[in-house]
Amino acid sequence: MSSSAKRVAQHRATLRAQGLRPVQIWVPDTRAPGYWEAIERQLAALKTSEAERKALKELDEFLDWDDED
C-alpha cells in the first residue's frame, strides 16, 4: 500500500471512529448536453403554472417576513 493510500485509510478510520460514515451523493451534471435547455424548459413551465403560483402565494402568506421577535 502506498503512503498516500495509507494516509487516506488512516483518515477514513479516524472519521469512522468519530461516528461518521462515507456517503456518496450523485448530482446532475451541469456540463451534460441539454442540461441548461432542460432547466430553461422547467423554469418556463413554472412561470406559467397556476399550481406553482398558488403554492408561492400560500408560502408567502405562511411565512412571517417581519424579523420582529
Side-chain angles (χ1 to χ4, degrees):
M1 186 182 285
S2 71
S3 64
S4 62
K6 287 179 184 176
R7 283 195 310 269
V8 169
Q10 183 178 9
H11 178 67
R12 290 179 178 174
T14 301
L15 292 173
R16 284 189 178 99
Q18 293 173 1
L20 302 174
R21 67 182 178 96
V23 176
Q24 186 174 32
I25 300 174
W26 290 79
V27 297
D29 183 357
T30 59
R31 300 165 297 178
Y35 174 83
W36 291 108
E37 290 81 5
I39 294 297
E40 288 172 1
R41 278 193 311 274
Q42 292 172 19
L43 288 172
L46 288 174
K47 286 181 183 179
T48 60
S49 168
E50 185 59 37
E52 184 70 12
R53 189 173 294 115
K54 181 181 176 187
L56 289 174
K57 182 179 177 186
E58 289 175 0
L59 277 173
D60 193 41
E61 291 171 359
F62 174 76
L63 294 173
D64 181 9
W65 292 104
D66 261 346
D67 287 337
E68 297 176 18
D69 290 329

